[in-house]
């Protein structure tokens, strides 16, 4: 496994449409393992392949579930890893009800905004082994899957904000990048 570099806005690659994967082979499984390692290290709860510069329709997620049954006197919660991989994910149905979550994105560092999205979605995909699967995501998981599938279309959560808010964020990120470039030189 290896850590990969996460691209940040503004970056043309993040606006590219990712291509469907033909089938799951060892190389693609290695990509998914690297993406999970990169996501955990960030840390984040989801990652699309294009965020590490690979324009393939692959996403990984881990909405860690906290196990309260094992809580100690300190009400510590046991966090278990629950990695999920989705190849060629497609939303085949979504609810008309929306829910609002505060979203962030590893490609839009330090920026957060409340975004409304359908609160349930039915997703069709290939799993880590290339097996066709379907499931219904709800709540935070539904938001996260839609956020990741947006990446495959070159869409970022800031695209849902007003022009003014979005341009302020992009300006900030551009400045940050220019400052980083100066330090590197
Ligand atoms: O780590 C992440 N947190 C998050 C929070 C709310 C909604 C979506 C996300 S996904 C994000 C990681 C990321 O950028 N995935 O593309
Ligand atoms: Ni993101």
């Amino acid at each position: 496994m290896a850590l990969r570099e996460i691209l940040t806005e503004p970056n043309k690659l993040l606006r590219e449409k990712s291509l469907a994967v033909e089938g799951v082979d060892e190389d693609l499984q290695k990509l998914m393992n690297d993406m999970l390692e990169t996501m955990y290290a960030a840390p984040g709860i989801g990652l699309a392949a294009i965020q590490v510069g690979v324009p393939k329709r692959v996403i990984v997620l881990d909405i860690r579930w906290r196990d309260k049954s094992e809580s100690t006197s300190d009400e510590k919660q046991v966090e278990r890893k629950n990695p999920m991989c989705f190849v060629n994910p497609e939303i085949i149905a979504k609810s008309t009800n929306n829910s609002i979550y505060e979203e962030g994105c590893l490609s839009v560092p330090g920026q957060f905004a409340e975004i409304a999205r359908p609160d349930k979605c039915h997703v069709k995909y290939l799993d880590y082994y290339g097996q066709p699967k379907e499931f219904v995501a709800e709540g935070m998981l539904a938001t996260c899957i839609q956020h990741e599938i947006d990446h495959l279309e070159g869409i970022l959560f800031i695209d849902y904000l007003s022009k003014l808010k979005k341009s302020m964020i992009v300006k900030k990120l551009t400045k940050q990048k220019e400052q980083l470039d100066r330090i590197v030189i």
Side-chain angles (χ1 to χ4, degrees):
M1 294 229 277
L3 286 178
R4 307 240 187 162
E5 193 193 333
I6 298 176
L7 307 178
T8 58
E9 175 81 346
N11 185 308
K12 267 197 221 152
L13 265 174
L14 290 172
R15 298 313 191 163
E16 240 178 56
K17 227 178 133 152
S18 296
L19 298 172
V21 169
E22 295 279 338
V24 178
D25 58 11
E26 244 178 68
D27 282 350
L28 199 79
Q29 287 179 332
K30 179 171 183 334
L31 171 67
M32 292 190 272
N33 290 337
D34 286 356
M35 284 169 62
L36 280 166
E37 191 183 358
T38 304
M39 179 190 78
Y40 285 126
I45 58 175
L47 195 70
I50 194 64
Q51 292 180 276
V52 294
V54 180
K56 291 185 179 172
R57 301 188 82 83
V58 177
I59 65 183
V60 296
L61 290 175
D62 190 340
I63 309 289
R64 265 148 267 195
W65 60 281
R66 295 180 173 82
D67 192 344
K68 287 185 186 163
S69 66
E70 294 191 29
S71 55
T72 60
S73 52
D74 277 81
E75 10 174 300
K76 249 197 207 146
Q77 297 175 336
V78 177
E79 286 203 333
R80 295 189 189 288
K81 278 190 180 173
N82 184 27
M84 293 182 280
C85 297
F86 301 85
V87 176
N88 297 340
E90 263 179 72
I91 293 175
I92 54 178
K94 55 191 176 192
S95 67
T96 49
N97 274 0
N98 280 349
S99 59
I100 296 173
Y101 281 98
E102 177 161 82
E103 296 195 20
C105 180
L106 295 171
S107 297
V108 188
Q111 305 299 320
F112 303 89
E114 290 194 327
I115 307 287
R117 300 184 189 267
D119 68 353
K120 273 189 206 170
C121 59
H122 189 158
V123 185
K124 197 177 106 174
Y125 64 102
L126 303 179
D127 70 9
Y128 183 82
Y129 302 101
Q131 299 297 315
K133 293 264 168 73
E134 283 182 24
F135 92 122
V136 178
E138 290 181 45
M140 188 65 198
L141 185 54
T143 283
C144 203
I145 285 197
Q146 292 171 78
H147 173 116
E148 301 311 336
I149 291 178
D150 271 355
H151 276 300
L152 307 184
E153 298 298 318
I155 298 166
L156 300 174
F157 80 91
I158 53 174
D159 300 347
Y160 298 112
L161 302 176
S162 70
K163 265 192 184 169
L164 180 65
K165 274 190 190 161
K166 181 180 164 181
S167 74
M168 274 168 28
I169 289 174
V170 174
K171 220 166 152 184
K172 234 187 246 173
L173 294 173
T174 307
K175 261 195 195 152
Q176 276 174 18
K177 271 197 171 175
E178 285 166 0
Q179 266 164 5
L180 274 177
D181 283 347
R182 262 182 242 130
I183 293 164
V184 171
I185 292 163

